[in-house]
Amino acid sequence: MIVVGIGGFFHDFNAAALCLESGRVAAAEEERFSRRKHHPVMGTAQTSVDCLRYVLDEVGAGFGDVAHVAFSDLADHPLKSFLRGLFPRARFHDVHHQMCHAAAAYYSSGWRDGAAILALDGFGDDSSGVLAVGEGHRLRPLRYVDIANSIGLEYLRVTYQIGMGAFGAEGKTQGLAPYGTPRFLDDYLREVVFRDDGTVELSDRLRNMKGYLGGELYLETKSLFNDFIADHVARRFDDEPLEQPHIDMAASVQALLDRVAVHAAGRLRAETGADQLVLGGGVALNSTMNGVVRRQAGFRDIRPHPSASDRGNGLGAALYVANTVLDQPFVLDQPLIYAGRRFDDEAVEAAIRARSLPLEAVEDPAVAAAALLAEGAIIGWFQGRSELGARALGSRSILADPRRAEMKDDLNRRVKHREWFRPFAPAVPIEHASIWFDLDGPLPHMTETVKIRAGKGAGIAAACHVDETARVQTVRQEDNPLYHRLLQDFGRRTGVPVVINTSFNDADEPIVDTPDDALNCLEATDLDFLVMGRFLVPGRRRRSGEEQKP
Amino acid sequence: MPLSKKYPPNTEMRQVTDAAGRVLRYRLAKATQGAETAPLLVFFHGWNSAENYDGSWAVDPAWHVLAPMDRFGLNRQGCWWLGEKGDYFMFGLIRQMVEATMAELGGGERPLFVSGNSMGGFGAIIHGTSLKARAVYANVPQVRLQGTQYYEIGQGNFDLVFGDDRLSRHADATNFINFANPEDNPVFFIGHSRHDIYRHYYREHFLYLVERMTQADCAYALTVIPTRGHHNVVEPAGVFEVFNRWRHAIDFPVAFTGERPARQPAPPAVHDQNDFTFGPEGKCVDAGQVVRPALAGLLVPEARVAAAAAGCAPAPETLRETMRRERGTLDFLLDRLAIPRLRCAVEWDASSTLWAPGVQARYPQADVFVCDPSLERLDGVRAVMAEDDAGSRRIFLSADADATCFRVGVCDLLVGRPAFEAPVPVGRQLTTVLRLVEAGGHAAFLVGLAAAHLALGEAVGRILAGGEVDPELAVCLQQVGAITPARAAPRSRLRRVAEALGLASPPAADASAAPPLRVLARAVLDRSAAAAGMAPPLLMPLAETKRPLHDHLERMLAAKGWTADRLPRRAWAEVDAVHERHAGMEALPDLMFAGFAVFRR
């Protein structure tokens, strides 16, 4: 029996397919096919559905084979009519948006014996989160968080007010926060009631969207304004100076978010008695918050879902229907990560030759890449299946040497074209992780921010944030042997087994997926090299002779 | 709904500062083709979109483009391009920006155009008129910022803009229109959705603007799409094309040389007893061209749209409500614009949307084109339209994404001032294209009436032009002209028409009964055609139009050097399906086809 889940009816349109008999599972995001970042579909009546075709191919099914289709929210959209028309024999289910977040997180956690579940979101289905509990393969919502009390939206409002951008730019605010002092936190706390049930109630000054004229669109920037924020910090546009009040506001809202999450998680723990917690919803992409929850909420272990945002809601919907509606246990041992497309060397070589670019076949891409990195090169790393979710985890990554502090600015200037204050994440082999970072176990998905060990920050200066933290990725040999070998080899050459790993894309672009995407990015940026499959392709500057191969 | 701002490439950030230290930042994208003489277009963005989140501006290599950023007002979300607290400093800043840019670009007189959507539409109107732009494109513009429901929604914003200046003249964009010297006004292109998300928006802003532009004798073009929403009718990138397309109407090519022809003053109108307006000589002098400004109502039953989307039949009550509303629209356009008659060419089904590029050429004398497709899924047709668009750049229809053509109808009409001089440049006058997308009974009925009415008018016009007046026909004309849905019950009107035409008396059991509309229409058309010395118009059941339609499509394709297989097989199938679906219809297809037949001659 094939169960399909479809999510992202506002943005990040995505799909998943489960084959209940074989246990095969696939998930994909449309943006990787359409090349439209976040692939918004809100209000549209049709969309490309390459992600659907892909996941069905992956489980060996066609549209006519699908028995159940799960949509990741309750509301009816024109798009649902279109999608229903694709499945001639399916039964359709509308699943609550927040329960999709919860299901994606819980059923991907690998915990089969139950856990507390906290999903915090911007909004969806008239709510902004859910506190729930996983009991075996069943999910039970305890309570939903009112949409008016959305901490995710408040974070977005601050992001907008201080000129970081709109939806999708919250990570900038998170990156900026450590540069500031949370001096508005006390004011914030006077506007928030922490309820005993784990939720919060925002005051009218926080809810008030004064001047609200829009409203029909989910992502209306017009709704991103309230009295509290306006009273504390003047609206900034991105070409205007970033001043201390803006930075302090970022720090304040981050501190507020941490408090709200710890409060919710703590009450959830008390209510359920669970000692393990899964985190979902778009807010759970905030790695700082996740780190704070791990340290302060009292759980033995936590597992934030790597595709916590709506990107993972197709999978969540499918898993919810399979487990809770159809009562067919279908639990993943670990989150789906390397679930995207793979291109063999033949396809890679053809793509390179089609552009008449010089290429060099290398014996071991990991060793070649490590050598280049050790000599200061910035490389595009394209290997194996692409990743699912917002993070590049060693398949479609840009890699660089973290030892020189200037590398951060180099990366921003030459390749990523983003703000000076945004940190770059490090990747480290699991064997060395605890030497460099203050952590107890593996963190394979860049979902948490941790402290860098005392005295180690200078050694990885370009990956060390201003507060001596990092959103680290630990890499196990069994998960990604090639990538693991690269890190180990880099360590042998330099004494520092840590590499900067950032997503392989230019600003405002989805992560690359195909060889052509990678070559486009190579040509649009100032990457030194692209290591794609077993081929090495020099970037523009290297080809022009401006810089010789190290 | 962009998720991140996208600035067009090759733009430079600039700013101007006024004496009070207020800064207006703007982006300038210089033309890369023909920069010496390229016109300058100013885009005014919508509310709270200074960062171009609404994609409110675009670039074109043949245009210099300015995009100022309104960072004033409540929480810097925009001050409607006016100012704050009753100090309307934006006029100075905008003028400063334009003058600085003109000076930098150099050259001689450079035509200025403006565009904007929503709040930017307001800005486009007030600054376009103030700066004496050649043309303005305003998408869903606000027009009145006080005294409307829109004011109540955004009161906090407007209170900051106007301060103590209550009842400000600046709150009404039409106060910037030059009523004393209409020729000093730009040509206005206004895009609107029929059902905005804001209540009363259509009436309080769009219809009000139309009325005021008419009073001011402005040249304007209206595009109304039968959809719900507050969004662009023409995307920013399409504005260049609109201006280019109507360049003859806005003296665009002439402007490049710095010359602009003097406009002819409008002669006094003469009203005859039939309430028709004729030229100074009492004759309708058209010489094969248009003689009157015109309009069209747009009749799209929203309930049917919703019902179709929901896959169920519409509730009769809702349909009736829709009918009433749409009749009101038609009535407004007929009465308030003082348009006594329309000339109507009627296309009758989906495939007519394919003909848009040729419609005007084939019916140069028509004021209104009515298409009556009852379309469902027309992916193939849409594709052809897209190809046609690229080829001829004259298709006005942009299908929405769901390809459910209930929602795809586009009314694109250009209404010019009355002009009775001949010859007059086409486009400076009226060219009205209405595409009505709906085969629902009530819409069909209304349009059918219009078709009959206008076909008759056309015949009479010919007679008058030739100095011949048929008294009997004049009576008919008067009667038929009185048939506007809101004025009286249609059946009683029809009965009077029947009587005027000397048709058989209705059954005694129902004194108010009238012959079927199609019978009336046939009689009217026969009579008018005969009076005009024409053969009786060709009437045929809809099903019989299939072959001619196919022939026409093939000719159209052949004219482009294409073979029939250029039209996807699915499109042909859809065309056939439309015919089959409507084969049982009676009155409307007959009437519509009758109108078509008249013009075909």
Side-chain angles (χ1 to χ4, degrees), chain B residues 185-201:
Chain B
N185 290 314
V187 177
F188 291 99
F189 295 82
I190 310 296
H192 221 278
S193 55
R194 178 60 187 86
H195 307 288
D196 202 279
I197 58 168
Y198 303 115
R199 287 186 65 200
H200 308 314
Y201 196 89

Side-chain angles (χ1 to χ4, degrees), chain B residues 269-356:
Chain B
V270 178
H271 293 267
D272 71 358
Q273 60 177 355
N274 293 330
D275 202 29
F276 271 72
T277 305
F278 298 107
E281 292 82 33
K283 291 184 178 180
C284 181
V285 183
D286 65 359
Q289 299 180 38
V290 247
V291 294
R292 286 286 302 154
L295 101 64
L298 188 61
L299 310 169
V300 175
E302 192 178 27
R304 288 189 70 94
V305 173
C312 62
E317 294 79 7
T318 311
L319 265 181
R320 277 202 291 274
E321 288 169 5
T322 306
M323 286 172 61
R324 274 197 294 276
R325 182 169 64 249
E326 300 303 352
R327 284 175 182 172
T329 297
L330 183 60
D331 225 30
F332 170 88
L333 291 164
L334 286 169
D335 292 347
R336 304 292 285 280
L337 301 184
I339 296 167
R341 72 190 187 102
L342 303 175
R343 299 192 208 214
C344 186
V346 180
E347 311 282 1
W348 65 94
D349 74 16
S351 53
S352 55
T353 58
L354 297 174
W355 301 356

Side-chain angles (χ1 to χ4, degrees), chain B residues 12-16 26-31 35-36 40 64-66 96-108 110:
Chain B
E12 305 165 25
M13 181 71 95
R14 305 285 180 87
Q15 66 182 47
V16 288
Y26 59 95
R27 289 179 181 267
L28 169 63
K30 292 181 181 175
E36 286 283 304
L40 176 64
H64 300 293
V65 177
L66 273 175
Q96 213 177 320
M97 173 191 73
V98 170
E99 288 176 354
T101 305
M102 289 287 194
E104 180 181 338
L105 296 175
R110 188 180 299 279

Side-chain angles (χ1 to χ4, degrees), chain A residues 291-344:
Chain A
V292 171
V293 168
R294 176 182 290 278
R295 291 190 293 275
Q296 298 182 12
F299 285 94
R300 178 175 57 80
D301 196 5
I302 73 166
R303 291 188 181 166
H305 185 44
S307 294
S309 69
D310 289 4
R311 292 171 184 271
N313 263 13
L315 179 63
L319 288 169
Y320 182 88
V321 166
N323 286 281
T324 298
V325 177
L326 304 176
D327 199 18
Q328 304 251 348
F330 198 107
V331 180
L332 310 184
D333 293 332
Q334 59 183 343
L336 269 187
I337 296 296
Y338 303 113
R341 286 182 285 182
R342 178 203 304 276
F343 298 87
D344 59 24

